[in-house]
Amino acid sequence: MPDQPTAPDRTIATDVCVVGAGPVGLLAALALGRQGWQITLLERRPQPPAGAEPKGPVAVNIVQPVTLHLLDRLGLLDRLTERAGVIPGAEIYFGGHLAARHSYAELDGCPVPHALSIRSFDLVRLLLAELADLPNATVIWDADTRALTPGTGGSSTLTVRTGETTVAVQARFVIAADGRDSTARELAGIPAEVVPSSGSYLDVVVPNPPGWNGIARAHFGTHGYLLETRRADEGLVLVWITDAATAAQVTDGPIEGLVTMLSRVVPRLADWIARHVTDWEQVRRVQHHFVHTKTWSQGNVVLVGDSAHGMHAFGGQGLNTSLQDAACLAEAVDSALRGEDASGIESYEAVRRPFIEAFQSLQVTNTQQPPAAAADEQERAPEFEVLALGQPAIRPLIADAAAFLAADTDQSRR
């Protein structure tokens, strides 16, 4: 349990305190910082050495055009693309037969003509560099948040221990972006259920096959769900998602069983897979969690990203919805700070939450239950247009957020 508050060694007064320096928290902090608000960012990890590269496997995400447009408004897209893998479109297969072919460039209203496969680390590094240029933004590393106390006038005080120092951060708004096991959410008293997926997720990376065109291919069938797509600029990743029992029939045996399964689903790559997948140590297994919260905000504390609605990787919407959240909520918080309208946060949740919960249910269907019969496969596939452009009901808010991110800053607010 969190410690009781202690007398602070120093006090920081800030407009917004963001808890969590992952991509979502950093985007929210940068968006609000560029509007001139005083920003304090708390991160429990130590500050990484300058120029440090991550050790071991790093998280890679497929970022859809609607989300890339938001990053473009921040001036990050060109630099982010340098170390990413470009995905020009997708093909959908049911029972081994091509059912649909999509091109981002031909999708009406698509703001960027491709998706990107990016390392989250690269996005974090870019956002941190941009935040470092703001004189009104402070990052506190190695920050152990121990208490959150509501104050007068709608503000809150976070008691933070960093090294041997106790800091009191007095904030008009608190944005909790500290992940599925959010400390800020717990301290705010917001009930949450964190449920591990009982399904199976594994992936393996192979070099890009000769002549491969970068198209992502999603295969639905009695095996479950298999995705072949780019892994940043590193090669081709094969992702297999299914229920635990189906996976166990393969993973409890030699690696040749996995090679056979992958080759049966993607026969055109059979020789390539057999050549490059030779040991179980090449295969990465990931445990995902679902997060369900009673509310996404309470008082001046707002949850964003995995703190509010953690997801499975199926459909690749975790980072996408979270970054969209951060952009839209930054605009809503900016409006509330200026005293114009404090209802934006609640109305955003009212529009967004039904879609998020429906998508989580779709993920459960595709990850924890035995694969449906071939006739039902199409019902298990997410809509390409919704993945690329966002849910229809939220697109006007995302468009407003894009304009907000690109707006000229006003450094007079202090």
Side-chain angles (χ1 to χ4, degrees):
M1 294 295 293
D3 295 342
Q4 293 298 313
T6 57
D9 297 302
R10 64 189 178 104
T11 299
I12 297 175
T14 192
D15 293 309
V16 181
C17 179
V18 179
V19 185
V24 178
L26 286 166
L27 190 149
L30 180 62
L32 287 163
R34 285 186 174 180
Q35 294 298 315
W37 302 111
Q38 293 291 330
I39 306 297
T40 301
L41 181 63
L42 307 178
E43 172 52 49
R44 65 169 65 98
R45 295 169 298 179
Q47 182 173 6
E53 293 289 331
K55 297 179 181 179
V58 297
V60 174
N61 299 91
I62 296 176
V63 183
Q64 296 286 346
V66 64
T67 314
L68 293 176
H69 181 58
L70 296 174
L71 297 173
D72 191 32
R73 297 302 86 191
L74 289 170
L76 302 178
L77 184 56
D78 288 344
R79 284 173 288 167
L80 192 62
T81 304
E82 292 173 1
R83 299 186 63 183
V86 175
I87 302 173
E91 294 177 351
I92 313 297
Y93 291 81
F94 298 132
H97 302 287
L98 178 64
R101 180 179 285 118
H102 304 282
S103 168
Y104 290 110
E106 297 174 359
L107 182 62
D108 187 35
C110 197
V112 177
H114 54 73
L116 286 181
S117 177
I118 67 169
R119 284 175 285 263
S120 296
F121 175 82
D122 291 330
L123 178 56
V124 166
R125 181 160 48 190
L126 280 175
L127 289 166
L128 273 173
E130 293 296 308
L131 198 65
D133 288 339
L134 298 181
N136 52 312
T138 300
V139 181
I140 301 178
W141 298 92
D142 198 18
D144 179 12
T145 304
R146 299 190 172 187
L148 192 158
T149 307
T152 58
S155 65
S156 293
T157 298
L158 294 96
T159 302
V160 180
R161 188 74 175 172
T162 175
E164 298 300 317
T165 302
T166 299
V167 181
V169 181
Q170 298 174 345
R172 296 170 65 187
F173 268 92
V174 176
I175 296 178
D178 49 343
R180 71 168 189 250
D181 298 315
S182 171
T183 297
R185 183 185 66 214
E186 178 186 358
L187 293 174
I190 299 176
E193 182 183 26
V194 180
V195 181
S197 169
S198 62
S200 176
Y201 173 105
L202 55 83
D203 65 36
V204 60
V205 180
V206 299
N208 290 333
W212 187 56
N213 59 8
I215 294 291
R217 295 177 174 87
H219 304 266
F220 293 84
T222 56
H223 61 277
Y225 169 74
L226 181 68
L227 173 69
E228 47 169 316
T229 190
R230 290 191 184 277
R231 178 174 166 83
D233 57 359
E234 302 165 4
L236 170 68
V237 60
L238 300 168
V239 179
W240 184 31
I241 299 174
T242 190
D243 66 294
T246 300
Q249 296 174 10
V250 173
T251 57
D252 288 348
I255 190 65
E256 287 77 13
L258 177 63
V259 170
T260 298
M261 195 285 299
L262 297 175
S263 299
R264 186 174 66 248
V265 178
V266 194
R268 74 177 200 289
L269 295 180
D271 292 342
W272 194 254
I273 292 169
R275 185 189 309 178
H276 294 284
V277 181
T278 59
D279 195 291
W280 277 115
E281 291 188 1
Q282 297 174 252
V283 181
R284 189 175 67 114
R285 309 186 195 202
V286 179
Q287 174 66 68
H288 292 102
H289 295 75
F290 298 97
V291 176
H292 307 280
T293 57
K294 184 177 181 180
T295 179
W296 293 0
S297 64
Q298 185 161 291
N300 71 333
V301 179
V302 186
L303 310 182
V304 66
D306 284 351
S307 299
H309 50 68
M311 294 185 179
H312 194 279
F314 172 80
Q317 284 294 283
L319 183 62
N320 283 275
T321 57
S322 297
L323 291 175
Q324 294 162 24
D325 286 354
C328 292
L329 290 173
E331 183 183 20
V333 169
D334 174 77
S335 180
L337 286 169
R338 287 187 278 114
E340 293 182 0
D341 185 6
S343 65
I345 295 170
E346 292 182 0
S347 61
Y348 177 76
E349 178 180 350
V351 173
R352 185 65 147 175
R353 189 178 189 117
F355 170 80
I356 293 293
E357 293 179 346
F359 200 87
Q360 288 174 324
S361 296
L362 179 67
Q363 291 181 321
V364 169
T365 299
N366 281 275
T367 61
Q368 299 184 177
Q369 301 173 10
D376 298 324
E377 289 169 9
Q378 191 162 356
E379 298 178 5
R380 295 170 26 222
E383 295 182 39
F384 179 81
E385 180 180 323
V386 173
L387 298 182
L389 304 181
Q391 69 179 111
I394 210 72
R395 289 174 196 171
L397 291 179
I398 294 176
D400 289 345
F404 170 74
L405 294 179
D408 292 336
T409 60
D410 178 2
Q411 295 291 333
S412 66
R413 303 190 190 101
R414 287 191 174 88

